[in-house]
Amino acid sequence: ENPVIFNPDDFFVERFRHEHQQHFTDLVLSNITRLIDLPGDEFAQLTGESEPKVPTSSGFFRSLNFLRRKEKGVIFGAPLTEEGIAQIYQLIEYLSKNLHVEGLFRVPGHSLRQAALREMLNSGTEIDLEMGDFHPNDAATLLKAYLGELPEPLLTHRHYHAHLKIGELTRFNEKGDKTNVPDKERQIEAFQLLFMLLPPANRSLLKLLLDLLYHTARNQQTNKMSAINLAKMFAPHIIWPKNVMASHLQGNMEKLSNGVAFLIRHSQKLFKAPAYIQEHARFFYTGSQTLQSRDDMSLSSGIRAGSEAPSSMSPGPAETCSSSETQSYTECALRELYQQVSNMPESAKKKKLIRQFEKQPELTPTPLTKKHWRSRSFSGIVKRKVFGSHVSTEKENDTLESSSLPQ
């Protein structure tokens, strides 16, 4: 029986993603670019408008023959599919019951047993790994091999530059100057958004893998495998570009390993849609706002809970849109949106968004008096690809990750 791949997203987010894929993608992309600075060519790579440019031994990305080599019933070396995940899940499930093994994922398995297990997985066989014919190290080595033989890294070539940029997100001090302190909340938010752009099969397997590695790291007192140790084992298999040697990563090897360690430590938060994405998807279908608490309203306005807005910041919806009237709330949010677009650095994207505002009477920043404007509120904005509100993720009180899992 194939495993049920856990789908972590809110119902409305999933529905929005499937029924309005382009609008959903535009909404996510607009928020990613609010968090990280992606030059035009890197943004085009993220969206798929241009071929990914990543380091390789020859200095440029080469198409792989793996894509044309898929054989029926073969999963190793074949493109990622849900069927392949169902086979590999047998390894993941078995390993999750053997987290105590010292050196798990570091100590190699037995070559002959691995060859036999690989053949069974390739043939689609359902394997009873509990019988004792195989050792956890055999399964761990094969899981890494499977990931390493994928035609494209699990985290994809398209997202390579975005991962590096997210790793560079740091906090600002009281004077507004950048510090060297990582901004974990913004990094988590950025990864939540980025993972929503992954192909469904990649997202499913990544969720299963990071869950496994998270619980492996939680057992490091017995298995001696911390998050960073695991990251060093897996970064070459899930994020390093294909056909690349360590010497060609131009000093990014440590950044990539640290990034994967971050994914492991915070894996329990990364597959949730940011609260504002959930709100917008829900509003798209129901037309109702569900923001109730002060924390939620602060979240919507982009002000972190427990902090005051800088004096130079324009009031957000939470401050000016306290009315229970949906129309009033929406108008305020729209004005804030226009202001944010106006404050963006000069770029082709900004000009395009401004033109879209100017083309639509209901999207201008002036007071809106159209009788039926409310019916064209956030859903209309999303449809016109201009919604990218300035908000932050909720700061979750998840002591499991912050205290029990080693940093």
Side-chain angles (χ1 to χ4, degrees):
E1 182 181 350
N2 291 352
V4 175
I5 305 301
F6 173 67
N7 191 328
D9 286 336
D10 174 89
F11 168 77
F12 289 112
V13 174
E14 273 302 294
R15 184 179 170 190
F16 188 33
R17 182 211 305 269
H18 289 292
E19 295 181 0
H20 304 278
Q21 186 174 7
Q22 188 57 55
H23 299 160
F24 176 84
T25 300
D26 290 334
L27 176 62
V28 172
L29 284 171
S30 67
N31 280 283
I32 287 179
T33 55
R34 173 176 55 78
L35 291 166
I36 59 175
D37 178 29
L38 287 173
D41 58 335
E42 292 182 6
F43 182 77
Q45 292 172 50
L46 178 62
T47 62
E49 294 176 12
S50 68
E51 288 296 317
K53 298 175 183 177
V54 294
T56 72
S57 298
S58 58
F60 59 91
F61 174 66
R62 295 180 295 174
S63 297
L64 299 173
N65 290 327
F66 286 115
L67 295 173
R68 297 189 291 272
R69 163 186 127 164
K70 184 178 179 182
E71 302 169 20
K72 186 176 181 180
V74 175
I75 65 167
F76 283 83
L80 187 61
T81 63
E82 292 289 353
E83 293 75 17
I85 294 174
Q87 281 297 92
I88 291 300
Y89 181 73
Q90 296 180 91
L91 301 180
I92 294 174
E93 186 177 38
Y94 173 60
L95 289 167
S96 69
K97 300 173 183 177
N98 290 275
L99 300 176
H100 63 281
V101 176
E102 185 172 340
L104 192 64
F105 296 111
R106 178 177 55 81
V107 178
H110 189 279
S111 58
L112 291 179
R113 291 197 304 258
Q114 287 177 60
L117 184 53
R118 176 190 285 253
E119 182 59 34
M120 295 171 75
L121 290 168
N122 267 336
S123 64
T125 304
E126 185 174 342
I127 309 165
D128 186 356
L129 292 167
E130 304 294 336
M131 291 292 291
D133 295 333
F134 301 99
H135 189 275
N137 289 341
D138 302 327
T141 303
L142 268 187
L143 177 58
K144 287 194 298 181
Y146 172 74
L147 293 167
E149 293 176 28
L150 287 172
E152 185 181 28
L154 183 62
L155 293 171
T156 74
H157 285 125
R158 276 191 194 181
H159 294 186
Y160 175 78
H161 294 291
H163 277 273
L164 291 176
K165 290 291 176 67
I166 293 172
E168 297 171 0
L169 286 175
T170 57
R171 294 186 180 278
F172 292 87
N173 61 23
E174 295 177 354
K175 297 179 180 179
D177 298 323
K178 196 172 184 179
T179 69
N180 292 323
V181 180
D183 191 334
K184 292 182 180 180
E185 286 77 21
R186 280 202 300 158
Q187 288 177 326
I188 289 171
E189 179 185 358
F191 280 126
Q192 287 174 332
L193 294 165
L194 190 63
F195 287 175
M196 287 194 287
L197 297 179
L198 283 171
N202 294 63
R203 183 177 165 89
S204 294
L205 181 55
L206 181 63
K207 173 70 167 67
L208 293 170
L209 176 66
L210 291 180
D211 275 348
L212 174 65
L213 299 183
Y214 170 80
H215 289 291
T216 302
R218 290 197 65 192
N219 283 270
Q220 68 170 291
Q221 288 188 338
T222 54
N223 61 35
K224 312 301 182 188
M225 296 301 291
S226 65
I228 189 62
N229 288 340
L230 290 167
K232 289 177 180 178
M233 295 289 105
F234 278 88
H237 300 296
I238 68 173
I239 194 169
W240 282 23
K242 293 295 179 179
N243 300 337
V244 68
M245 302 296 289
S247 58
H248 292 94
L249 289 178
Q250 299 176 341
N252 287 327
M253 191 161 58
E254 185 177 358
K255 288 182 181 179
L256 295 173
S257 293
N258 289 338
V260 173
F262 185 92
L263 298 183
I264 293 171
R265 294 184 184 114
H266 300 280
S267 63
Q268 306 306 297
K269 299 178 181 179
L270 302 181
F271 294 88
K272 304 170 183 177
Y276 53 88
I277 297 289
Q278 295 181 14
E279 289 295 331
H280 298 158
R282 186 179 293 109
F283 190 89
F284 186 90
Y285 288 106
T286 69
S288 64
Q289 291 289 337
T290 57
L291 298 180
Q292 298 292 336
S293 70
R294 181 178 179 277
D295 287 344
D296 283 339
M297 296 178 73
S298 296
L299 174 68
S300 176
S301 67
I303 304 173
R304 297 188 190 284
S307 65
E308 297 297 326
S311 58
S312 60
M313 180 182 291
S314 301
E319 296 170 295
T320 62
C321 304
S322 57
S323 168
S324 60
E325 291 285 337
T326 303
Q327 182 176 2
S328 173
Y329 182 97
T330 303
E331 289 175 3
C332 293
L334 184 56
R335 285 196 293 272
E336 186 196 25
L337 167 64
Y338 182 86
Q339 185 62 42
Q340 289 164 20
V341 172
S342 300
N343 292 336
M344 288 172 60
E346 291 301 325
S347 64
K349 178 183 175 184
K350 174 182 178 180
K351 292 177 181 177
K352 180 179 178 182
L353 293 176
I354 292 293
R355 284 199 301 270
Q356 288 174 325
F357 271 101
E358 292 172 346
K359 286 179 182 178
Q360 303 295 334
E362 67 270 34
L363 295 182
T364 57
T366 52
L368 303 171
T369 56
K370 298 189 83 172
K371 182 177 181 181
H372 300 293
W373 189 87
R374 174 162 49 176
S375 66
R376 306 181 65 174
S377 54
F378 282 126
S379 62
I381 298 169
V382 172
K383 288 179 181 177
R384 292 178 181 87
K385 308 177 185 180
V386 299
F387 200 90
S389 62
H390 183 77
V391 283
S392 304
T393 55
E394 57 186 332
K395 188 172 182 180
E396 299 178 45
N397 295 320
D398 194 342
T399 56
L400 174 67
E401 293 173 22
S402 60
S403 59
S404 63
L405 184 59
Q407 298 296 308

